[in-house]
């Protein structure tokens, strides 16, 4: 590359396209009153010159940075990580840049500091991934002038919310096992303080009560396969257990191993349902029946809600639930004959 060569500027695009500087600006800013033929010539000139608009200068003119902020819970757990990925994918598809502030804890001070850092970067709006009750409290105390949307939060949030309908997913999972003839369903729950834990436990309990089935004691895990394994050892020792709903797939994986080691056939002796549909779920032994979360749709709806807030068309207490989907595989079957 010629060291003295300069990058192309808007005037170069105008010269090659045979239009004015103002016309190039209108095309770049998406103005509607530009003839299609003229727009095509400008876009062809941009490609020919490999022109890259100066985003900082453009933001000064349009007062739009085309950048959104995301406050993320710095976790490798499947749910929060997948929520972040879904938001980033949707934002890129819509032409937005994404700036991420990843936190180790979701207390009020940490969330406010993250929001302030993102505002300093000129973001137009902020999505806060809020899988824990502490995050809901932190969002309620935020002080900011930019629109904020909570992702994965509960209905009690003071800002617009987009979340997976965890309760209906748990209802479906438990109902599936009851429909197979199981007299009750045991539950391995997530840890306290997580919104998914509460919602999935509520759905499980509602399904049992609606069917007039006994409600067994809850066994709590921490989302890990290890905690599912430990819960599974206890459940395997009880001959009355014929069906288990685990609050996520990783705990279901640990549970399956405990059942295998204890000589309990799946689903011949015990049926198992998970939640998430992680990419490995179809390759468990046996392949896991589970509840699939559509994180792509979650990201799209979160972005749509945030853009509505940016344009002043949102509703401050709007709460959108994305329905999950039951995925039937080989880990569930009819209640065993005794």
């Amino acid at each position: 590359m010629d060291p003295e060569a300069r990058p192309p500027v808007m005037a170069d695009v105008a010269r090659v396209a045979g239009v004015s500087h103002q016309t190039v600006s209108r095309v770049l800013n998406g103005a509607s009153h530009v003839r299609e033929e003229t727009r095509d010539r400008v876009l062809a000139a941009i490609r020919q010159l490999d022109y890259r608009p100066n985003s900082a200068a453009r933001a000064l003119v349009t007062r739009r940075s085309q950048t959104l902020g995301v406050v993320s819970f710095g976790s490798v757990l499947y749910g929060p990580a997948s929520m972040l990925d879904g938001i980033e994918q949707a934002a890129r598809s819509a032409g937005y840049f994404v700036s991420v502030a990843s936190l180790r804890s979701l207390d009020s001070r940490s969330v406010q500091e993250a929001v302030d850092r993102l505002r300093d970067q000129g973001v137009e709006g902020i999505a806060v991934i809020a899988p824990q009750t502490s995050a809901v409290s932190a969002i309620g105390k935020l002080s900011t002038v930019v629109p904020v949307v909570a992702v994965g939060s509960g209905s009690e949030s003071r800002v617009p919310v987009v979340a997976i309908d965890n309760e209906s997913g748990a209802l479906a999972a438990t109902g599936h096992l009851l429909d197979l003839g199981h007299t009750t369903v045991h539950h391995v729950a997530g840890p306290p303080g997580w919104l998914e834990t509460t919602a999935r436990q509520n759905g499980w309990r509602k399904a049992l009560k609606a069917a007039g089935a006994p409600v067994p004691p809850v066994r709590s895990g921490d989302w890990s396969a290890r905690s599912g394994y430990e819960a599974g050892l206890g459940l395997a020792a009880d001959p009355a257990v014929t069906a288990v709903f685990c609050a996520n797939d990783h705990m279901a994986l640990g549970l399956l191993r405990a059942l295998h080691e204890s000589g309990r056939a799946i689903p011949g002796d015990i049926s198992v349902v998970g939640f998430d549909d992680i990419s490995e779920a179809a390759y468990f032994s046996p392949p896991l029946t589970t509840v699939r979360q559509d994180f792509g749709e979650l990201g799209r709806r979160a972005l749509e809600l945030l853009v509505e807030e940016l344009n002043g068309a949102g509703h401050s207490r709007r709460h959108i639930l994305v329905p999950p989907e039951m995925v039937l595989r080989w880990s569930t079957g009819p209640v065993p004959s005794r």
Side-chain angles (χ1 to χ4, degrees):
M1 179 179 177
D2 183 353
E4 296 186 1
R6 62 171 176 79
V9 296
M10 194 180 295
D12 298 321
V13 176
R15 175 177 51 78
V16 172
V19 299
S20 68
H21 179 281
Q22 290 82 359
T23 297
V24 175
S25 178
R26 286 196 290 271
V27 171
L28 290 172
N29 291 323
S32 58
H33 51 286
V34 178
R35 290 169 53 190
E36 197 64 33
E37 178 186 348
T38 302
R39 188 186 306 277
D40 290 343
R41 287 211 315 275
V42 171
L43 294 176
I46 289 172
R47 288 192 296 271
Q48 177 184 332
L49 296 171
D50 195 25
Y51 169 69
R52 294 292 182 268
N54 185 321
S55 57
R58 186 178 177 187
L60 286 173
V61 174
T62 63
R63 297 187 178 181
R64 300 291 296 268
S65 66
Q66 289 299 114
T67 302
L68 302 175
V70 180
V71 177
S72 172
F73 180 51
S75 171
V76 296
L77 290 173
Y78 179 77
S82 298
M83 288 179 194
L84 175 59
D85 182 65
I87 295 168
E88 288 185 304
Q89 299 261 6
R92 283 197 297 270
S93 297
Y96 285 92
F97 300 101
V98 175
S99 182
V100 180
S102 185
L103 303 179
R104 291 185 178 274
S105 64
L106 291 172
D107 58 274
S108 296
R109 180 177 177 180
S110 297
V111 173
Q112 183 66 62
E113 288 176 350
V115 167
D116 290 341
R117 290 200 304 274
L118 291 170
R119 284 189 59 198
D120 289 343
Q121 297 173 28
V123 300
E124 295 184 40
I126 297 173
V128 181
I129 295 175
Q132 296 177 320
T133 52
S134 60
V136 176
S137 175
I139 292 171
K141 299 174 183 176
L142 278 177
S143 174
T144 181
V145 296
V146 301
V148 174
V149 167
V151 182
S153 182
S155 58
E156 66 274 18
S157 178
R158 293 176 58 189
V159 301
V161 173
V162 180
I164 299 292
D165 191 346
N166 289 283
E167 186 171 302
S168 75
L171 272 164
T174 308
H176 167 65
L177 291 166
L178 293 172
D179 289 344
L180 289 170
H182 297 277
T183 56
T184 191
V185 178
H186 291 256
H187 183 44
V188 180
W194 286 74
L195 298 163
E196 289 95 338
T197 296
T198 300
R200 293 171 194 176
Q201 190 171 318
N202 286 345
W204 162 77
R205 185 173 283 106
K206 283 184 178 180
L208 293 179
K209 289 184 175 180
V215 180
V218 173
R219 293 176 181 263
S220 293
D222 61 8
W223 301 128
S224 70
R226 176 193 54 77
S227 67
Y229 175 79
E230 292 172 353
L233 292 176
L235 291 167
D238 184 351
V241 175
T242 66
V244 182
F245 165 49
C246 291
N248 79 337
D249 289 349
H250 286 100
M251 292 193 298
L253 173 61
L255 179 89
L256 291 176
R257 177 178 170 181
L259 296 179
H260 284 308
E261 290 182 357
S262 302
R264 305 297 298 275
I266 309 156
D269 295 324
I270 299 180
S271 290
V272 178
V273 177
F275 204 112
D276 282 340
D277 195 27
I278 61 175
S279 58
E280 300 87 356
Y283 301 95
F284 287 4
S285 181
L288 183 67
T289 293
T290 186
V291 180
R292 177 181 296 153
Q293 304 188 71
D294 190 343
F295 289 109
E297 179 64 15
L298 184 77
R300 287 189 291 273
R301 298 298 293 272
L303 180 69
E304 179 182 277
L305 192 55
L306 191 52
V307 170
E308 286 182 6
E309 292 293 312
L310 285 170
N311 295 331
H315 306 279
S316 60
R317 294 300 301 274
R318 189 171 175 186
H319 188 209
I320 296 173
L321 290 176
V322 177
E325 174 190 2
M326 278 294 302
V327 179
L328 303 181
R329 295 194 179 101
W330 301 347
S331 64
T332 53
V335 62
S337 57
R338 298 297 186 184

